[in-house]
Amino acid sequence: MVTTTPSLGFVEALNASTKKIFKMKGRSRRSEFWWTQLLVIILTIFLTPIVGGILSLLTIPLKVRRLHDIGKSGWWLAINILLNIFLFIVMCVALFNFFVSINSDDYDYINLISFLLQYIIFALIAWIYNLILLIFYCMDSKPGTNAYGPSPKYIEE
């Protein structure tokens, strides 16, 4: 028989996530994930973006555990991080080339259009991938034990 444990409240969720702040192994429930994400968003709004960036880095293990809870590998998040780094590098190079071309004698609007198209294409790819991850984060826990450990939500008796 499988019993469902109740959702975690705000304080319980934060306690659960901070106890495992650097732990990539195991699983995390939706309530733990979303309450922690809410706090990070609120703190980012009221504090500096630098603090928000640090807090976002600290939530990487939580995101990995959330993916584990639905039976997905943490590599889904790693691909997202690498995709965003790649997007940033491509955009920096394209922006640099764009500004260099403005100061040259052979400037034309094709460079501007090329830059905008590159940005739109790569941003769209990153946005779609982030949407896929959002769907994963919203999915319910897989009952029972999976490759990442026992379910924190569904307790087998």
Side-chain angles (χ1 to χ4, degrees):
M1 181 174 173
V2 177
T3 305
T4 304
T5 58
S7 293
L8 300 176
F10 181 73
V11 174
E12 296 169 315
L14 292 179
N15 284 337
S17 65
T18 54
K19 285 180 185 175
K20 303 178 282 186
I21 195 165
F22 298 113
K23 185 179 176 188
M24 295 276 196
K25 294 183 179 184
R27 298 166 64 171
S28 289
R29 298 179 62 175
R30 282 184 295 188
S31 53
E32 177 184 346
F33 175 81
W34 287 114
W35 282 120
T36 304
Q37 287 300 114
L38 177 65
L39 179 66
V40 167
I41 290 168
I42 290 170
L43 290 176
T44 301
I45 290 170
F46 290 107
L47 301 175
T48 66
I50 294 171
V51 172
I54 293 169
L55 291 174
S56 292
L57 288 174
L58 291 174
T59 62
I60 289 174
L62 175 64
K63 291 174 182 176
V64 169
R65 290 192 313 272
R66 181 71 204 118
L67 289 170
H68 288 173
D69 195 41
I70 62 166
K72 303 286 182 198
S73 169
W75 284 106
W76 280 90
L77 182 63
I79 291 169
N80 184 42
I81 292 169
L82 292 174
L83 180 65
N84 285 316
I85 291 170
F86 178 72
L87 175 65
F88 179 75
I89 291 170
V90 166
M91 289 303 101
C92 286
V93 169
L95 197 59
F96 176 77
N97 288 336
F98 172 69
F99 283 120
V100 167
S101 71
I102 286 176
N103 295 326
S104 69
D105 294 333
D106 61 338
Y107 172 75
D108 57 12
Y109 287 100
I110 293 175
N111 291 330
L112 174 63
I113 293 169
S114 172
F115 168 71
L116 291 174
L117 283 176
Q118 286 177 12
Y119 179 78
I120 290 168
I121 290 169
F122 284 113
L124 187 62
I125 291 168
W127 185 84
I128 291 170
Y129 199 87
N130 282 315
L131 183 63
I132 291 168
L133 284 178
L134 178 65
I135 291 168
F136 285 165
Y137 295 145
C138 292
M139 292 174 67
D140 193 15
S141 301
K142 296 288 183 190
T145 302
N146 66 15
Y148 306 103
S151 173
K153 179 178 182 179
Y154 299 106
I155 308 298
E156 296 178 6
E157 294 179 4

PDB file of all heavy atoms in Angstrom, residues 19-20 22-23 36 45 48 67-69 83 85 88-89 107 115 120 122-123 135-136 142 149 153 156:
ATOM      1  N   LYS A  19      18.814  21.850   4.424  1.00  0.00           N
ATOM      2  CA  LYS A  19      19.549  20.711   4.992  1.00  0.00           C
ATOM      3  C   LYS A  19      20.315  19.948   3.913  1.00  0.00           C
ATOM      4  O   LYS A  19      21.330  19.327   4.198  1.00  0.00           O
ATOM      5  CB  LYS A  19      18.587  19.753   5.702  1.00  0.00           C
ATOM      6  CG  LYS A  19      18.105  20.260   7.028  1.00  0.00           C
ATOM      7  CD  LYS A  19      17.155  19.274   7.670  1.00  0.00           C
ATOM      8  CE  LYS A  19      16.588  19.847   8.959  1.00  0.00           C
ATOM      9  NZ  LYS A  19      15.570  18.961   9.560  1.00  0.00           N
ATOM     10  N   LYS A  20      19.805  19.999   2.679  1.00  0.00           N
ATOM     11  CA  LYS A  20      20.429  19.272   1.570  1.00  0.00           C
ATOM     12  C   LYS A  20      20.973  20.238   0.521  1.00  0.00           C
ATOM     13  O   LYS A  20      20.998  19.914  -0.660  1.00  0.00           O
ATOM     14  CB  LYS A  20      19.393  18.342   0.928  1.00  0.00           C
ATOM     15  CG  LYS A  20      18.762  17.350   1.862  1.00  0.00           C
ATOM     16  CD  LYS A  20      17.718  16.507   1.157  1.00  0.00           C
ATOM     17  CE  LYS A  20      16.435  17.285   0.988  1.00  0.00           C
ATOM     18  NZ  LYS A  20      15.324  16.509   0.453  1.00  0.00           N
ATOM     19  N   PHE A  22      23.807  21.250  -0.608  1.00  0.00           N
ATOM     20  CA  PHE A  22      24.887  20.855  -1.509  1.00  0.00           C
ATOM     21  C   PHE A  22      24.771  19.402  -1.956  1.00  0.00           C
ATOM     22  O   PHE A  22      25.683  18.872  -2.566  1.00  0.00           O
ATOM     23  CB  PHE A  22      26.247  21.086  -0.852  1.00  0.00           C
ATOM     24  CG  PHE A  22      26.493  22.536  -0.521  1.00  0.00           C
ATOM     25  CD1 PHE A  22      26.565  22.963   0.792  1.00  0.00           C
ATOM     26  CD2 PHE A  22      26.638  23.474  -1.528  1.00  0.00           C
ATOM     27  CE1 PHE A  22      26.786  24.298   1.092  1.00  0.00           C
ATOM     28  CE2 PHE A  22      26.864  24.810  -1.240  1.00  0.00           C
ATOM     29  CZ  PHE A  22      26.939  25.222   0.074  1.00  0.00           C
ATOM     30  N   LYS A  23      23.647  18.769  -1.673  1.00  0.00           N
ATOM     31  CA  LYS A  23      23.460  17.350  -1.968  1.00  0.00           C
ATOM     32  C   LYS A  23      22.766  17.172  -3.316  1.00  0.00           C
ATOM     33  O   LYS A  23      21.639  17.602  -3.494  1.00  0.00           O
ATOM     34  CB  LYS A  23      22.629  16.709  -0.853  1.00  0.00           C
ATOM     35  CG  LYS A  23      22.476  15.229  -0.976  1.00  0.00           C
ATOM     36  CD  LYS A  23      21.671  14.671   0.186  1.00  0.00           C
ATOM     37  CE  LYS A  23      21.446  13.196  -0.010  1.00  0.00           C
ATOM     38  NZ  LYS A  23      20.533  12.666   0.988  1.00  0.00           N
ATOM     39  N   THR A  36      11.125  27.118  -2.225  1.00  0.00           N
ATOM     40  CA  THR A  36      12.499  27.635  -2.261  1.00  0.00           C
ATOM     41  C   THR A  36      12.679  28.587  -3.436  1.00  0.00           C
ATOM     42  O   THR A  36      13.298  29.656  -3.295  1.00  0.00           O
ATOM     43  CB  THR A  36      13.506  26.471  -2.343  1.00  0.00           C
ATOM     44  OG1 THR A  36      13.276  25.582  -1.247  1.00  0.00           O
ATOM     45  CG2 THR A  36      14.930  26.964  -2.293  1.00  0.00           C
ATOM     46  N   ILE A  45      14.435  40.092  -6.109  1.00  0.00           N
ATOM     47  CA  ILE A  45      13.736  41.351  -6.380  1.00  0.00           C
ATOM     48  C   ILE A  45      14.152  42.426  -5.381  1.00  0.00           C
ATOM     49  O   ILE A  45      14.413  43.566  -5.753  1.00  0.00           O
ATOM     50  CB  ILE A  45      12.206  41.142  -6.353  1.00  0.00           C
ATOM     51  CG1 ILE A  45      11.776  40.317  -7.563  1.00  0.00           C
ATOM     52  CG2 ILE A  45      11.462  42.477  -6.323  1.00  0.00           C
ATOM     53  CD1 ILE A  45      10.337  39.846  -7.510  1.00  0.00           C
ATOM     54  N   THR A  48      20.137  42.657  -4.498  1.00  0.00           N
ATOM     55  CA  THR A  48      20.798  42.906  -5.776  1.00  0.00           C
ATOM     56  C   THR A  48      20.724  41.672  -6.681  1.00  0.00           C
ATOM     57  O   THR A  48      20.574  40.544  -6.201  1.00  0.00           O
ATOM     58  CB  THR A  48      22.275  43.267  -5.550  1.00  0.00           C
ATOM     59  OG1 THR A  48      22.940  42.128  -5.013  1.00  0.00           O
ATOM     60  CG2 THR A  48      22.413  44.452  -4.635  1.00  0.00           C
ATOM     61  N   LEU A  67      14.507  17.001 -10.590  1.00  0.00           N
ATOM     62  CA  LEU A  67      14.510  16.179 -11.795  1.00  0.00           C
ATOM     63  C   LEU A  67      14.594  14.699 -11.433  1.00  0.00           C
ATOM     64  O   LEU A  67      13.928  13.861 -12.048  1.00  0.00           O
ATOM     65  CB  LEU A  67      15.665  16.579 -12.714  1.00  0.00           C
ATOM     66  CG  LEU A  67      15.521  17.936 -13.405  1.00  0.00           C
ATOM     67  CD1 LEU A  67      16.824  18.333 -14.091  1.00  0.00           C
ATOM     68  CD2 LEU A  67      14.375  17.920 -14.406  1.00  0.00           C
ATOM     69  N   HIS A  68      15.402  14.377 -10.442  1.00  0.00           N
ATOM     70  CA  HIS A  68      15.494  12.986  -9.983  1.00  0.00           C
ATOM     71  C   HIS A  68      14.147  12.470  -9.507  1.00  0.00           C
ATOM     72  O   HIS A  68      13.820  11.299  -9.696  1.00  0.00           O
ATOM     73  CB  HIS A  68      16.502  12.856  -8.843  1.00  0.00           C
ATOM     74  CG  HIS A  68      17.924  12.992  -9.270  1.00  0.00           C
ATOM     75  ND1 HIS A  68      18.950  13.050  -8.360  1.00  0.00           N
ATOM     76  CD2 HIS A  68      18.500  13.089 -10.487  1.00  0.00           C
ATOM     77  CE1 HIS A  68      20.097  13.175  -9.004  1.00  0.00           C
ATOM     78  NE2 HIS A  68      19.843  13.201 -10.297  1.00  0.00           N
ATOM     79  N   ASP A  69      13.361  13.331  -8.894  1.00  0.00           N
ATOM     80  CA  ASP A  69      12.075  12.914  -8.333  1.00  0.00           C
ATOM     81  C   ASP A  69      11.105  12.441  -9.408  1.00  0.00           C
ATOM     82  O   ASP A  69      10.249  11.612  -9.147  1.00  0.00           O
ATOM     83  CB  ASP A  69      11.459  14.068  -7.533  1.00  0.00           C
ATOM     84  CG  ASP A  69      10.326  13.610  -6.647  1.00  0.00           C
ATOM     85  OD1 ASP A  69      10.442  12.536  -6.025  1.00  0.00           O
ATOM     86  OD2 ASP A  69       9.306  14.319  -6.580  1.00  0.00           O
ATOM     87  N   LEU A  83      23.802  25.344 -22.517  1.00  0.00           N
ATOM     88  CA  LEU A  83      23.111  26.062 -23.579  1.00  0.00           C
ATOM     89  C   LEU A  83      23.089  27.562 -23.297  1.00  0.00           C
ATOM     90  O   LEU A  83      23.340  28.376 -24.191  1.00  0.00           O
ATOM     91  CB  LEU A  83      21.683  25.529 -23.721  1.00  0.00           C
ATOM     92  CG  LEU A  83      20.806  26.155 -24.788  1.00  0.00           C
ATOM     93  CD1 LEU A  83      21.364  25.873 -26.178  1.00  0.00           C
ATOM     94  CD2 LEU A  83      19.390  25.637 -24.676  1.00  0.00           C
ATOM     95  N   ILE A  85      25.228  29.257 -21.374  1.00  0.00           N
ATOM     96  CA  ILE A  85      26.605  29.759 -21.503  1.00  0.00           C
ATOM     97  C   ILE A  85      26.952  29.950 -22.977  1.00  0.00           C
ATOM     98  O   ILE A  85      27.514  30.971 -23.374  1.00  0.00           O
ATOM     99  CB  ILE A  85      27.607  28.814 -20.800  1.00  0.00           C
ATOM    100  CG1 ILE A  85      27.416  28.883 -19.282  1.00  0.00           C
ATOM    101  CG2 ILE A  85      29.047  29.152 -21.185  1.00  0.00           C
ATOM    102  CD1 ILE A  85      28.190  27.827 -18.520  1.00  0.00           C
ATOM    103  N   PHE A  88      25.229  32.984 -24.327  1.00  0.00           N
ATOM    104  CA  PHE A  88      25.901  34.199 -23.874  1.00  0.00           C
ATOM    105  C   PHE A  88      27.162  34.471 -24.694  1.00  0.00           C
ATOM    106  O   PHE A  88      27.401  35.597 -25.133  1.00  0.00           O
ATOM    107  CB  PHE A  88      26.234  34.085 -22.380  1.00  0.00           C
ATOM    108  CG  PHE A  88      26.957  35.273 -21.833  1.00  0.00           C
ATOM    109  CD1 PHE A  88      26.285  36.456 -21.585  1.00  0.00           C
ATOM    110  CD2 PHE A  88      28.323  35.214 -21.580  1.00  0.00           C
ATOM    111  CE1 PHE A  88      26.951  37.566 -21.090  1.00  0.00           C
ATOM    112  CE2 PHE A  88      29.000  36.310 -21.084  1.00  0.00           C
ATOM    113  CZ  PHE A  88      28.313  37.489 -20.837  1.00  0.00           C
ATOM    114  N   ILE A  89      27.968  33.439 -24.929  1.00  0.00           N
ATOM    115  CA  ILE A  89      29.213  33.602 -25.693  1.00  0.00           C
ATOM    116  C   ILE A  89      28.910  33.999 -27.137  1.00  0.00           C
ATOM    117  O   ILE A  89      29.524  34.932 -27.684  1.00  0.00           O
ATOM    118  CB  ILE A  89      30.069  32.315 -25.635  1.00  0.00           C
ATOM    119  CG1 ILE A  89      30.606  32.118 -24.216  1.00  0.00           C
ATOM    120  CG2 ILE A  89      31.217  32.368 -26.648  1.00  0.00           C
ATOM    121  CD1 ILE A  89      31.259  30.767 -23.984  1.00  0.00           C
ATOM    122  N   TYR A 107      30.112  49.139 -43.463  1.00  0.00           N
ATOM    123  CA  TYR A 107      28.933  48.820 -42.643  1.00  0.00           C
ATOM    124  C   TYR A 107      27.682  48.785 -43.512  1.00  0.00           C
ATOM    125  O   TYR A 107      27.461  49.651 -44.351  1.00  0.00           O
ATOM    126  CB  TYR A 107      28.756  49.850 -41.521  1.00  0.00           C
ATOM    127  CG  TYR A 107      27.461  49.685 -40.769  1.00  0.00           C
ATOM    128  CD1 TYR A 107      27.317  48.648 -39.860  1.00  0.00           C
ATOM    129  CD2 TYR A 107      26.386  50.527 -40.995  1.00  0.00           C
ATOM    130  CE1 TYR A 107      26.128  48.475 -39.178  1.00  0.00           C
ATOM    131  CE2 TYR A 107      25.198  50.365 -40.318  1.00  0.00           C
ATOM    132  CZ  TYR A 107      25.069  49.331 -39.407  1.00  0.00           C
ATOM    133  OH  TYR A 107      23.896  49.152 -38.741  1.00  0.00           O
ATOM    134  N   PHE A 115      22.860  39.838 -36.784  1.00  0.00           N
ATOM    135  CA  PHE A 115      22.950  39.841 -35.319  1.00  0.00           C
ATOM    136  C   PHE A 115      21.588  39.565 -34.690  1.00  0.00           C
ATOM    137  O   PHE A 115      21.455  38.734 -33.797  1.00  0.00           O
ATOM    138  CB  PHE A 115      23.497  41.176 -34.815  1.00  0.00           C
ATOM    139  CG  PHE A 115      23.349  41.369 -33.341  1.00  0.00           C
ATOM    140  CD1 PHE A 115      24.117  40.639 -32.446  1.00  0.00           C
ATOM    141  CD2 PHE A 115      22.417  42.258 -32.826  1.00  0.00           C
ATOM    142  CE1 PHE A 115      23.981  40.806 -31.087  1.00  0.00           C
ATOM    143  CE2 PHE A 115      22.258  42.427 -31.467  1.00  0.00           C
ATOM    144  CZ  PHE A 115      23.045  41.695 -30.585  1.00  0.00           C
ATOM    145  N   ILE A 120      17.676  36.009 -31.919  1.00  0.00           N
ATOM    146  CA  ILE A 120      16.320  35.458 -31.855  1.00  0.00           C
ATOM    147  C   ILE A 120      16.347  33.939 -31.895  1.00  0.00           C
ATOM    148  O   ILE A 120      15.660  33.267 -31.112  1.00  0.00           O
ATOM    149  CB  ILE A 120      15.460  36.031 -33.003  1.00  0.00           C
ATOM    150  CG1 ILE A 120      15.174  37.515 -32.737  1.00  0.00           C
ATOM    151  CG2 ILE A 120      14.157  35.262 -33.158  1.00  0.00           C
ATOM    152  CD1 ILE A 120      14.575  38.247 -33.928  1.00  0.00           C
ATOM    153  N   PHE A 122      18.858  31.767 -31.099  1.00  0.00           N
ATOM    154  CA  PHE A 122      19.438  31.168 -29.900  1.00  0.00           C
ATOM    155  C   PHE A 122      18.573  31.426 -28.663  1.00  0.00           C
ATOM    156  O   PHE A 122      18.445  30.559 -27.804  1.00  0.00           O
ATOM    157  CB  PHE A 122      20.865  31.666 -29.679  1.00  0.00           C
ATOM    158  CG  PHE A 122      21.845  31.034 -30.609  1.00  0.00           C
ATOM    159  CD1 PHE A 122      22.484  31.787 -31.580  1.00  0.00           C
ATOM    160  CD2 PHE A 122      22.139  29.691 -30.540  1.00  0.00           C
ATOM    161  CE1 PHE A 122      23.380  31.213 -32.454  1.00  0.00           C
ATOM    162  CE2 PHE A 122      23.037  29.096 -31.405  1.00  0.00           C
ATOM    163  CZ  PHE A 122      23.653  29.863 -32.368  1.00  0.00           C
ATOM    164  N   ALA A 123      17.973  32.590 -28.578  1.00  0.00           N
ATOM    165  CA  ALA A 123      17.088  32.870 -27.446  1.00  0.00           C
ATOM    166  C   ALA A 123      15.853  31.984 -27.494  1.00  0.00           C
ATOM    167  O   ALA A 123      15.381  31.506 -26.452  1.00  0.00           O
ATOM    168  CB  ALA A 123      16.694  34.345 -27.437  1.00  0.00           C
ATOM    169  N   ILE A 135       8.133  22.398 -17.294  1.00  0.00           N
ATOM    170  CA  ILE A 135       7.150  21.308 -17.316  1.00  0.00           C
ATOM    171  C   ILE A 135       7.633  20.157 -16.435  1.00  0.00           C
ATOM    172  O   ILE A 135       6.854  19.588 -15.664  1.00  0.00           O
ATOM    173  CB  ILE A 135       6.883  20.851 -18.761  1.00  0.00           C
ATOM    174  CG1 ILE A 135       6.146  21.953 -19.514  1.00  0.00           C
ATOM    175  CG2 ILE A 135       6.094  19.541 -18.786  1.00  0.00           C
ATOM    176  CD1 ILE A 135       6.079  21.747 -21.019  1.00  0.00           C
ATOM    177  N   PHE A 136       8.904  19.818 -16.527  1.00  0.00           N
ATOM    178  CA  PHE A 136       9.456  18.759 -15.677  1.00  0.00           C
ATOM    179  C   PHE A 136       9.319  19.114 -14.196  1.00  0.00           C
ATOM    180  O   PHE A 136       8.953  18.273 -13.376  1.00  0.00           O
ATOM    181  CB  PHE A 136      10.930  18.505 -15.998  1.00  0.00           C
ATOM    182  CG  PHE A 136      11.176  17.752 -17.279  1.00  0.00           C
ATOM    183  CD1 PHE A 136      12.440  17.724 -17.828  1.00  0.00           C
ATOM    184  CD2 PHE A 136      10.167  17.086 -17.939  1.00  0.00           C
ATOM    185  CE1 PHE A 136      12.698  17.040 -18.999  1.00  0.00           C
ATOM    186  CE2 PHE A 136      10.400  16.393 -19.125  1.00  0.00           C
ATOM    187  CZ  PHE A 136      11.681  16.372 -19.647  1.00  0.00           C
ATOM    188  N   LYS A 142       7.332  10.488  -9.049  1.00  0.00           N
ATOM    189  CA  LYS A 142       7.122   9.104  -9.445  1.00  0.00           C
ATOM    190  C   LYS A 142       6.992   8.278  -8.169  1.00  0.00           C
ATOM    191  O   LYS A 142       7.863   8.338  -7.302  1.00  0.00           O
ATOM    192  CB  LYS A 142       8.297   8.588 -10.279  1.00  0.00           C
ATOM    193  CG  LYS A 142       8.483   9.305 -11.593  1.00  0.00           C
ATOM    194  CD  LYS A 142       7.403   8.931 -12.558  1.00  0.00           C
ATOM    195  CE  LYS A 142       7.652   9.605 -13.894  1.00  0.00           C
ATOM    196  NZ  LYS A 142       6.561   9.502 -14.802  1.00  0.00           N
ATOM    197  N   GLY A 149      16.551   6.986  -5.620  1.00  0.00           N
ATOM    198  CA  GLY A 149      16.180   6.789  -4.225  1.00  0.00           C
ATOM    199  C   GLY A 149      14.678   6.667  -4.027  1.00  0.00           C
ATOM    200  O   GLY A 149      13.905   6.704  -4.980  1.00  0.00           O
ATOM    201  N   LYS A 153       7.468  11.632  -1.303  1.00  0.00           N
ATOM    202  CA  LYS A 153       6.039  11.909  -1.243  1.00  0.00           C
ATOM    203  C   LYS A 153       5.217  10.642  -1.006  1.00  0.00           C
ATOM    204  O   LYS A 153       4.329  10.610  -0.175  1.00  0.00           O
ATOM    205  CB  LYS A 153       5.572  12.576  -2.543  1.00  0.00           C
ATOM    206  CG  LYS A 153       4.095  12.884  -2.584  1.00  0.00           C
ATOM    207  CD  LYS A 153       3.716  13.584  -3.879  1.00  0.00           C
ATOM    208  CE  LYS A 153       2.235  13.927  -3.886  1.00  0.00           C
ATOM    209  NZ  LYS A 153       1.869  14.628  -5.112  1.00  0.00           N
ATOM    210  N   GLU A 156       5.847   3.778   0.839  1.00  0.00           N
ATOM    211  CA  GLU A 156       5.357   2.408   0.722  1.00  0.00           C
ATOM    212  C   GLU A 156       5.295   1.772   2.100  1.00  0.00           C
ATOM    213  O   GLU A 156       6.220   1.866   2.886  1.00  0.00           O
ATOM    214  CB  GLU A 156       6.278   1.602  -0.192  1.00  0.00           C
ATOM    215  CG  GLU A 156       6.294   2.100  -1.623  1.00  0.00           C
ATOM    216  CD  GLU A 156       7.254   1.314  -2.506  1.00  0.00           C
ATOM    217  OE1 GLU A 156       7.818   0.305  -2.043  1.00  0.00           O
ATOM    218  OE2 GLU A 156       7.435   1.714  -3.646  1.00  0.00           O
TER     219      GLU A 156
END
